[in-house]
């Protein structure tokens, strides 16, 4: 499964990219606004911080003509960019147009498998099924993810199912169980993926025993 970082914070992208486990970055208007710098400047800095990664940058218009202009502008900035488009009627039409032009797209704000079907038929590169926001209103966000994976595979669509709005490591585990292609998450969730109490306990024991034995990797003393 691919892991994307969901952020507009370039420093977070640099830290995550150094781990060697990140395949891309997703941004959205809220995350870009939070970054506090220009949209193009932020997106290009993210591209540089995650070389070769798929970097999603979202249009903000809601009429087709303006969305198309915005999409072509954004796509022109860098070949790593994936144009992010909301799942609304002009958005699906835009995805069809961009797909015909060979421009990669990430269809966002997807909550149902019927919405995902439209994105897949339009040629979306990624379909962003939001899970956390469904859970936040006592639903089961992962249900639509599993149905979307089943749909994409059953009908042979090339779209990749991207689990978005991830709140905790269990969402990542569930995304794998649903056989999703990608999960995007905040840096805080990436950090939580490392954590297990038995790892900490075990490492402490290893080092304690090593130190008690007075051993050194660089020691010149032969046994
Ligand atoms: O950026 C897309 C998505 O991951 C954002 O979800 O619910 O954390 O705002 P959320």
């Amino acid at each position: 499964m691919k892991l994307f970082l969901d952020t507009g914070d370039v420093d977070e992208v640099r830290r995550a990219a150094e781990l060697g486990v990140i395949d891309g970055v997703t941004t959205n208007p809220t995350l870009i606004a939070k970054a506090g710098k220009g949209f193009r400047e932020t997106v290009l800095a993210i591209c540089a911080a995650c070389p070769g990664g798929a970097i999603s940058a979202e249009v903000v218009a809601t009429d087709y003509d303006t969305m198309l202009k915005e999409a072509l502008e954004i796509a022109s900035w860098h070949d790593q960019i994936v144009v992010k488009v909301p799942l609304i009627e002009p958005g699906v039409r835009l995805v069809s147009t961009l797909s015909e032009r060979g421009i990669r797209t990430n269809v966002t704000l997807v909550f149902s498998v019927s919405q995902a079907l439209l994105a897949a038929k339009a040629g979306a590169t990624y379909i962003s099924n939001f899970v956390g926001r469904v859970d936040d209103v006592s639903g089961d966000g992962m249900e639509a993810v599993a149905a979307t994976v089943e749909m994409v595979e059953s009908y042979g669509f090339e779209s990749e199912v991207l689990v978005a709005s991830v709140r905790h490591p269990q969402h990542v585990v569930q995304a794998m169980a649903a056989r999703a292609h990608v999960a995007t998450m905040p840096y805080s969730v990436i950090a939580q993926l490392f954590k297990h109490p038995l790892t900490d306990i075990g490492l402490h024991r290893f080092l304690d025993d090593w130190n008690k034995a007075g051993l050194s990797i660089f020691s010149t003393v032969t046994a």
Side-chain angles (χ1 to χ4, degrees), residues 6 28 84 130 133 164-165 167 184:
D6 198 33
N28 64 43
K84 209 172 187 187
F130 279 42
R133 295 191 189 188
S165 190
R167 295 279 190 271
T184 193

Side-chain angles (χ1 to χ4, degrees), residues 6-7 26-28 30-31 58 84 108 128 130 132-133 136 162-167 184-186:
D6 198 33
T7 188
T26 50
T27 71
N28 64 43
T30 301
L31 293 171
E58 191 163 340
K84 209 172 187 187
T108 190
S128 284
F130 279 42
R133 295 191 189 188
D136 291 347
L162 188 161
V163 179
S165 190
V166 167
R167 295 279 190 271
T184 193
M185 64 205 75

Side-chain angles (χ1 to χ4, degrees), residues 112-179:
S112 70
V113 65
S114 47
Q115 287 178 315
L117 172 64
L118 296 171
K121 286 188 68 67
T125 309
Y126 301 104
I127 301 171
S128 284
N129 282 78
F130 279 42
V131 295
R133 295 191 189 188
V134 177
D135 293 6
D136 291 347
V137 292
S138 305
D140 178 354
M142 212 50 79
E143 253 178 32
V145 170
T148 300
V149 171
E150 180 67 24
M151 177 269 292
V152 162
E153 291 182 349
S154 299
Y155 296 101
F157 290 117
E158 292 183 8
S159 303
E160 294 187 25
V161 180
L162 188 161
V163 179
S165 190
V166 167
R167 295 279 190 271
H168 46 67
Q170 194 55 23
H171 274 156
V172 180
V173 172
Q174 292 165 357
M176 288 189 280
R179 293 179 294 115

Side-chain angles (χ1 to χ4, degrees), residues 28-210:
N28 64 43
T30 301
L31 293 171
I32 294 295
K34 190 177 172 187
K37 294 183 179 161
F39 184 23
R40 184 174 188 276
E41 174 190 355
T42 300
V43 170
L44 288 177
I46 290 173
C47 290
C50 183
I55 311 301
S56 291
E58 191 163 340
V59 296
V60 292
T62 53
D63 66 287
Y64 174 79
D65 290 339
T66 313
M67 291 172 94
L68 178 57
K69 283 180 189 156
E70 290 180 348
L72 296 177
E73 169 64 19
I74 292 168
S76 74
W77 295 346
H78 200 287
D79 61 11
Q80 286 179 230
I81 287 174
V82 177
V83 178
K84 209 172 187 187
V85 181
L87 195 290
I88 54 176
E89 278 188 51
V92 172
R93 182 184 168 196
L94 174 66
V95 171
S96 298
T97 301
L98 296 177
S99 174
E100 286 162 9
R101 298 186 187 198
I103 295 173
R104 293 183 295 167
T105 55
N106 177 356
V107 177
T108 190
L109 290 169
V110 174
F111 293 93
S112 70
V113 65
S114 47
Q115 287 178 315
L117 172 64
L118 296 171
K121 286 188 68 67
T125 309
Y126 301 104
I127 301 171
S128 284
N129 282 78
F130 279 42
V131 295
R133 295 191 189 188
V134 177
D135 293 6
D136 291 347
V137 292
S138 305
D140 178 354
M142 212 50 79
E143 253 178 32
V145 170
T148 300
V149 171
E150 180 67 24
M151 177 269 292
V152 162
E153 291 182 349
S154 299
Y155 296 101
F157 290 117
E158 292 183 8
S159 303
E160 294 187 25
V161 180
L162 188 161
V163 179
S165 190
V166 167
R167 295 279 190 271
H168 46 67
Q170 194 55 23
H171 274 156
V172 180
V173 172
Q174 292 165 357
M176 288 189 280
R179 293 179 294 115
H181 303 88
V182 189
T184 193
M185 64 205 75
Y187 191 89
S188 59
V189 176
I190 298 271
Q192 284 178 284
L193 295 178
F194 286 92
K195 298 299 180 190
H196 194 292
L198 291 179
T199 303
D200 297 338
I201 292 167
L203 181 61
H204 182 78
R205 173 73 183 275
F206 285 162
L207 300 183
D208 205 28
D209 292 344
W210 174 270

